[in-house]
């Protein structure tokens, strides 16, 4: 037990050190990128630093597998150089028993990352997008989905048009039981349109069975008009509507199940968000796989193994597994493979592969 705690403590300290080093590097690189992005826009340096601090958590969360494999390489290269692994094996402990402590720490890191770092990274990424959009003068269309249905916003004339619909087709081009609320420049209500359906065509919404109220009249109902077919200009496209849901990474894992239900209730496909949810749940398994990959190539004595070659092989294998995971995510989002296979298949396979190498190289 004492030896397990020793290896676990060494791995945890190494991981914290590696994370701190990468945090500093990412902070400096991202700060330079933000300065270049907003150069000449009159934004103060403290505001740029604030944007940088908001973007770093998402980056750290994304590169967690890299941090784990680098930490594993650093730990076991040190243990091999000091012959601590040789002494451990001489005492009768196998390679797998030496990995129990680091594996438990890695699982705890993964669970903590999913439960705590994920919501922090999602909230900071969402806030970063809002501030960056405001500072760059953006602000076109917006979309949200909730229990009240679908809400869209677009530019219209001198003001804005807010669209609410009970349901929509999966691609967002047909809205049902829809309301258009027009606002003038100062933001006062100008018009309201109720329609049975609204179909998105190039450059316009085509409304069927529509009723129009104008708030310029003291009694809007008296001057309301009905139309079997009505068009409303728009800059929206089906791609922009679907992109309006944003990256699932900007949603905390605790909010994803409710958002998925809202998407399905509104008539949209939630497959992309379901795949993302399952992949976050599988993250601890992926981190354990990366730890096993790093240890499989570096647990030999430094005088016996070719250290540089082994490190290169470990990093190459780690990046390959990470690429396969991302490729499986794309296939899952496109419906080419089942969601559970896309999310859990690569991490489980990534655990079995280095485990097999360890059995072959270390335990005969």
């Amino acid at each position: 037990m004492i030896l397990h705690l020793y290896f676990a403590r060494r791995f945890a300290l190494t991981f914290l050190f590696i994370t701190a080093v990468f945090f500093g590097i990412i902070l400096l690189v991202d700060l330079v990128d933000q300065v270049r992005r907003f150069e000449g826009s009159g934004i103060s340096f403290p505001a740029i630093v604030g944007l940088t601090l908001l973007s770093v958590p998402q980056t750290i969360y994304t590169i967690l597998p890299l941090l784990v494999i680098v930490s594993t390489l650093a730990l076991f290269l040190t243990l091999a150089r000091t012959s601590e692994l040789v002494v451990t094996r001489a005492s009768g402990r196998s390679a797998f028993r030496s990995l129990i402590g680091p594996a438990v720490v890695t699982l705890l890191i993964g669970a903590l990352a999913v439960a705590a770092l994920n919501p922090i990274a999602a909230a900071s990424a969402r806030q970063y997008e809002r501030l960056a959009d405001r500072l760059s003068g953006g602000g076109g269309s917006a979309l949200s989905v909730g229990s009240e249905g679908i809400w869209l916003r677009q530019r219209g004339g001198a003001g804005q048009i807010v669209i609410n619909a009970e349901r929509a087709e999966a691609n967002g081009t047909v809205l049902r039981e829809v309301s258009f609320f027009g606002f003038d420049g100062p933001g006062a209500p100008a018009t309201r349109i109720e329609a049975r359906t609204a179909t998105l065509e190039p450059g316009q919404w085509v409304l069927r069975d529509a009723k129009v109220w104008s708030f310029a009249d003291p009694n809007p109902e008296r001057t309301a008009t009905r139309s079997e077919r009505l068009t409303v200009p728009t800059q929206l496209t089906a791609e922009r509507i679907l992109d309006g849901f944003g990256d699932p990474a900007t949603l905390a894992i605790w909010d994803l199940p409710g958002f998925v239900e809202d998407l399905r209730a509104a008539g949209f496909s939630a497959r992309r968000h379901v795949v993302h949810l399952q992949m976050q749940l599988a993250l601890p398994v992926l981190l354990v796989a990366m730890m096993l990959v790093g240890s499989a190539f570096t647990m030999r004595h430094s005088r016996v193994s070719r250290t540089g070659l082994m490190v290169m092989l470990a990093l190459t294998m780690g990046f390959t597994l990470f690429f396969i995971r991302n490729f499986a995510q794309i296939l899952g989002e496109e419906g080419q493979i089942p969601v559970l296979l896309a999310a859990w298949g690569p991490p489980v396979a990534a655990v079995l592969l280095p485990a097999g190498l360890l059995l072959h190289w270390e335990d005969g």
Side-chain angles (χ1 to χ4, degrees):
M1 178 59 71
I2 295 177
L3 195 57
H4 292 323
L5 293 176
Y6 173 74
F7 284 141
R9 180 174 59 85
R10 289 285 300 271
F11 181 78
L13 292 176
T14 304
F15 176 80
L16 291 176
F17 175 76
I18 295 295
T19 302
V21 171
F22 272 82
F23 180 85
I25 295 174
I26 293 170
L27 191 67
L28 292 176
V29 172
D30 196 81
L31 181 62
V32 173
D33 183 65
Q34 299 298 332
V35 170
R36 289 178 178 176
R37 177 180 178 183
F38 295 101
E39 183 179 6
S41 58
I43 300 175
S44 64
F45 185 73
I48 293 178
V49 173
L51 284 173
T52 302
L53 292 175
L54 287 174
S55 66
V56 169
Q58 183 65 49
T59 306
I60 292 293
Y61 184 75
T62 303
I63 66 170
L64 267 179
L66 173 63
L67 298 179
V68 169
I69 195 171
V70 172
S71 301
T72 305
L73 293 174
L75 172 65
F76 284 101
L77 287 176
T78 302
L79 294 177
R81 200 162 40 241
T82 58
S83 299
E84 290 176 82
L85 289 177
V86 175
V87 175
T88 300
R89 290 196 183 112
S91 66
R93 288 181 177 267
S94 66
F96 271 106
R97 291 188 66 186
S98 301
L99 293 175
I100 292 177
V104 171
V105 173
T106 304
L107 279 175
L108 291 176
I109 290 172
L112 185 63
V114 173
L117 182 57
N118 177 276
I120 294 173
S124 62
R126 192 162 55 247
Q127 187 65 20
Y128 170 81
E129 290 181 357
R130 292 173 183 170
L131 289 178
D133 188 63
R134 187 180 68 186
L135 293 175
S136 61
S141 61
L143 181 147
S144 66
V145 177
S147 57
E148 301 85 5
I150 307 150
W151 291 89
L152 285 163
R153 188 182 74 240
Q154 68 174 49
R155 291 190 180 95
Q160 299 279 337
I161 295 178
V162 176
I163 306 170
N164 174 240
E166 291 185 3
R167 289 183 57 81
E169 288 190 354
N171 59 2
T173 57
V174 178
L175 306 179
R176 302 189 183 280
E177 304 301 329
V178 62
S179 301
F180 284 67
F181 302 94
F183 297 86
D184 57 19
T191 59
R192 175 181 176 181
I193 305 174
E194 298 278 353
R196 181 170 51 86
T197 63
T199 304
L200 182 62
E201 296 183 357
Q204 64 182 7
W205 289 102
V206 177
L207 281 61
R208 303 287 181 182
D209 192 14
K211 184 176 181 179
V212 184
W213 292 268
S214 175
F215 296 118
D217 191 283
N219 187 355
E221 183 64 32
R222 182 182 58 186
T223 57
T225 59
R226 284 194 171 274
S227 177
E228 287 295 324
R229 186 181 186 275
L230 185 66
T231 60
V232 177
T234 184
Q235 300 83 30
L236 294 176
T237 62
E239 291 76 16
R240 291 181 65 183
I241 290 176
L242 294 178
D243 290 343
F245 292 118
D247 190 349
T250 60
L251 290 171
I253 191 170
W254 306 109
D255 299 329
L256 270 173
F259 188 79
V260 167
E261 292 300 321
D262 289 338
L263 276 179
R264 288 171 174 168
F268 288 95
S269 172
R271 188 178 186 89
R272 180 186 178 196
H273 293 77
V274 172
V275 171
H276 179 77
L277 173 60
Q278 291 296 326
M279 296 197 75
Q280 301 315 300
L281 295 176
L283 180 62
V285 180
L286 177 68
L287 297 186
V288 172
M290 291 299 177
M291 188 275 298
L292 291 175
V293 168
S295 62
F297 289 92
T298 54
M299 290 191 73
R300 294 182 175 183
H301 196 278
S302 59
R303 295 181 181 178
V304 177
S305 62
R306 301 175 182 177
T307 304
L309 177 61
M310 290 299 175
V311 170
M312 287 293 297
L313 289 175
L315 291 175
T316 301
M317 186 174 178
F319 280 114
T320 301
L321 293 174
F322 192 74
F323 170 78
I324 293 174
R325 174 178 180 260
N326 291 339
F327 183 66
Q329 180 180 4
I330 295 174
L331 293 179
E333 291 176 353
E334 296 296 326
Q336 301 298 317
I337 59 177
V339 171
L340 292 179
L341 179 61
W344 292 91
V348 172
V351 168
L352 296 177
L353 182 59
L357 290 176
L358 280 171
L359 286 173
H360 177 69
W361 288 345
E362 303 296 331
D363 291 340

